[in-house]
Amino acid sequence: MNLAGQLRPIVAALAVWAATALAAQAEQANDYPTSARAEYVYGCMKANGESRQAIEQCSCSIDVVASIVSYERYVTAETALSMSQVRGNLGVQFRTSEQANSAVNDLRRAQAEAEVRCF
């Protein structure tokens, strides 16, 4: 068997592995429900203008955020941000929680990256 014949099974195996890795990456990047993506884009557009350009930039932004932060982590951060605005002891618990602060920091870093890439 020549060298090309010996390499065919290796090349085929690498192609299958690469396709599997890409599919897993795409699935992970698309784990945000449409409603969460739409809500993010809506809020982003309210903050950045309601133009066609804002739609493009805000859509790009949520795609970048989704590629960096898992949906579960995103929900934790959004909940922490929302609940930290509550007055009293309940709000204090969210403002001082290490887990909540860590998730919020991850989200803010992802949003900063999105700002650089999309705006």
Side-chain angles (χ1 to χ4, degrees):
M1 183 179 261
N2 65 19
L3 183 58
Q6 292 173 344
L7 290 178
R8 277 193 193 111
I10 295 170
V11 169
L14 286 174
V16 169
W17 175 79
T20 303
L22 287 173
Q25 184 179 16
E27 183 179 312
Q28 182 182 16
N30 290 318
D31 69 339
Y32 283 49
T34 302
S35 60
R37 288 177 180 267
E39 185 177 320
Y40 182 97
V41 170
Y42 179 77
C44 176
M45 288 181 65
K46 285 293 186 185
N48 294 290
E50 297 176 1
S51 65
R52 180 68 188 158
Q53 182 178 4
I55 291 172
E56 296 295 326
Q57 292 170 323
C58 293
S59 297
C60 172
S61 181
I62 189 59
D63 290 343
V64 171
V65 169
S67 74
I68 297 172
V69 177
S70 71
Y71 180 65
E72 181 180 331
R73 191 78 167 157
Y74 175 80
V75 169
T76 300
E78 285 292 313
T79 302
L81 286 169
S82 176
M83 293 302 294
S84 68
Q85 296 176 14
V86 173
R87 292 187 174 162
N89 192 33
L90 183 59
V92 169
Q93 291 176 17
F94 281 90
R95 286 189 293 274
T96 60
S97 164
E98 187 176 321
Q99 181 182 7
N101 287 332
S102 175
V104 168
N105 288 338
D106 289 348
L107 177 57
R108 287 190 174 141
R109 280 190 288 276
Q111 288 174 323
E113 179 65 24
E115 181 81 18
V116 170
R117 290 190 201 179
C118 302
F119 288 90

